[in-house]
C-alpha cells in the first residue's frame, strides 16, 4: 500500500535557522515524490518534485530510497516560508494521482 | 484569473440533500482531478478525467458520488443523500496532457448538518 508519513504536525523555528521537514513513504515500486505548499489564504501549489532536482525558494529535497525518505530542507528560514507543507507520492499512473501526507505547519518566528 | 475555478466556495446542506459542485479547469488542460480533504489530513484522490473520459475512481467514491466532464471542459461532482461524513473540502485540479505541474483550485467547503 502507498503511504506518506509526516511525523511533525508543527515545526517552529527562528528566522535564519535551518529547516528540515520530514517525510517518509511506503511504496513497493519506484515512486515520484513531491512537496506541495499552501501559504495562508492561497491555493495548494507545487513546491518541488524530486526528479527535477531543482532548488525552489532555497528549498531542496533528496530522495533516499534506502531510508524511504524525502525530507525538505532549507539552510536559512525566512518568515515568508511560514505555511503548510505536504509531502506527496505518485505511482506514476497517472502522475498526478497523489497520495498526500497529513502535512506539517512551518512557523518561522522573527 | 486564469487559474482553476471552483463554485461554490462554501456549501451548507442538511443531511439527505443532494449537492453539486462545479470545477472549471485551466483551458487546454486535458486532465482534471478531484480530491477531498478532511480536517487535519492531506488531500485524498477521488477521481480523474482525461478529456471527457473518467479513467479512474477511488474506492472512496461511493455510489452516492458521481462526477462528469461533458465535452472535456468543466466538471461537476454530485453527492446524493449527503451524510455528515461527507463534510470536507473538495478540491479540483488540472494538468496538461503530459501530466506535468498540477494546478489546484481554491476548493468547495461542504458542511453537512
Amino acid at each position: 500500500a502507498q503511504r506518506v508519513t509526516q511525523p511533525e504536525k508543527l515545526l517552529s523555528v527562528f528566522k535564519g535557522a535551518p529547516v528540515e521537514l520530514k517525510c517518509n513513504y511506503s511504496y513497493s515500486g519506484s515512486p515520484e515524490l513531491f512537496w506541495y505548499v499552501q501559504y495562508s489564504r492561497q491555493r495548494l501549489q507545487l513546491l518541488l518534485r524530486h526528479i527535477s532536482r531543482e532548488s525552489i525558494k532555497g528549498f531542496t529535497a533528496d530522495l533516499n530510497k534506502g531510508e524511504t525518505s524525502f525530507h525538505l530542507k532549507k539552510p536559512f528560514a525566512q518568515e515568508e516560508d511560514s505555511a503548510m507543507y505536504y509531502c506527496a507520492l505518485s505511482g506514476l499512473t497517472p502522475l498526478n494521482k497523489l497520495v498526500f501526507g497529513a502535512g506539517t505547519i512551518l512557523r518561522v518566528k522573527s | 484569473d486564469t487559474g482553476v475555478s471552483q463554485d461554490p466556495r462554501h456549501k451548507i446542506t442538511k443531511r439527505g440533500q443532494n449537492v453539486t459542485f462545479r470545477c472549471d479547469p485551466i483551458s487546454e488542460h486535458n486532465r482534471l482531478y478531484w480530491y477531498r480533504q478532511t480536517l487535519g489530513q492531506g488531500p485524498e484522490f477521488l477521481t480523474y478525467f482525461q478529456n471527457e473520459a473518467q479513467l479512474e475512481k477511488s474506492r472512496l467514491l461511493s455510489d452516492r458520488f458521481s462526477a462528469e466532464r461533458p465535452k472535456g471542459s468543466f466538471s461537476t461532482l454530485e453527492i446524493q443523500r449527503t451524510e455528515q461524513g461527507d463534510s470536507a473540502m473538495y478540491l479540483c485540479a488540472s494538468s496538461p496532457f503530459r501530466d506535468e505541474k498540477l494546478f489546484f483550485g481554491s476548493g468547495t467547503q461542504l458542511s453537512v448538518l
Side-chain angles (χ1 to χ4, degrees):
Chain A
Q2 301 177 16
R3 188 181 183 94
V4 175
T5 302
Q6 294 180 251
E8 302 144 327
K9 286 195 178 299
L10 172 67
L11 181 64
S12 188
V13 302
F14 283 102
K15 177 182 171 181
V19 172
E20 183 178 48
L21 297 168
K22 291 183 167 43
C23 172
N24 289 91
Y25 67 89
S26 174
Y27 184 68
S28 57
S30 294
E32 176 77 18
L33 274 294
F34 303 80
W35 277 97
Y36 277 79
V37 61
Q38 187 165 25
Y39 301 102
S40 179
R41 300 187 195 87
Q42 294 188 27
R43 304 172 184 200
L44 191 60
Q45 59 185 286
L46 177 66
L47 179 62
L48 56 80
R49 52 186 287 194
H50 95 267
I51 199 169
S52 300
R53 297 191 174 278
E54 294 174 303
S55 173
I56 306 294
K57 299 185 179 183
F59 284 98
T60 59
D62 291 318
L63 179 61
N64 185 324
K65 292 185 177 181
E67 296 184 356
T68 58
S69 68
F70 188 56
H71 303 327
L72 184 67
K73 299 177 183 180
K74 184 170 183 177
F76 308 104
Q78 298 173 315
E79 288 182 71
E80 54 265 35
D81 296 328
S82 295
M84 173 69 92
Y85 290 80
Y86 294 98
C87 182
L89 171 156
S90 169
L92 301 179
T93 54
L95 179 65
N96 284 312
K97 178 188 172 187
L98 301 171
V99 175
F100 284 87
T104 298
I105 298 170
L106 174 64
R107 191 166 294 156
V108 181
K109 300 176 288 188
S110 58
Chain B
D1 186 353
T2 57
V4 178
S5 176
Q6 290 189 247
D7 184 69
R9 293 293 301 275
H10 305 275
K11 179 69 177 179
I12 300 173
T13 190
K14 292 183 179 179
R15 189 175 53 185
Q17 298 294 305
N18 299 343
V19 294
T20 300
F21 310 140
R22 177 180 169 120
C23 171
D24 287 90
I26 294 171
S27 59
E28 300 167 1
H29 277 192
N30 301 90
R31 291 194 169 173
L32 185 148
Y33 296 77
W34 284 100
Y35 283 83
R36 180 173 70 184
Q37 185 173 22
T38 54
L39 198 61
Q41 300 299 317
E44 295 174 295
F45 170 81
L46 292 179
T47 187
Y48 93 100
F49 292 83
Q50 181 168 304
N51 299 315
E52 67 275 9
Q54 187 175 20
L55 297 186
E56 189 169 343
K57 293 192 294 185
S58 164
R59 58 179 174 77
L60 293 174
L61 217 61
S62 76
D63 291 344
R64 298 184 296 105
F65 288 71
S66 62
E68 295 183 339
R69 192 184 182 194
K71 302 179 182 178
S73 56
F74 70 92
S75 176
T76 58
L77 178 67
E78 181 183 16
I79 310 174
Q80 295 182 327
R81 306 181 301 283
T82 53
E83 301 172 357
Q84 287 185 326
D86 296 332
S87 295
M89 174 73 83
Y90 289 83
L91 294 166
C92 177
S94 69
S95 70
F97 176 71
R98 290 189 180 276
D99 237 356
E100 297 157 359
K101 188 174 176 180
L102 191 60
F103 293 82
F104 279 88
S106 298
T108 293
Q109 181 67 54
L110 173 66
S111 297
V112 181
L113 305 178

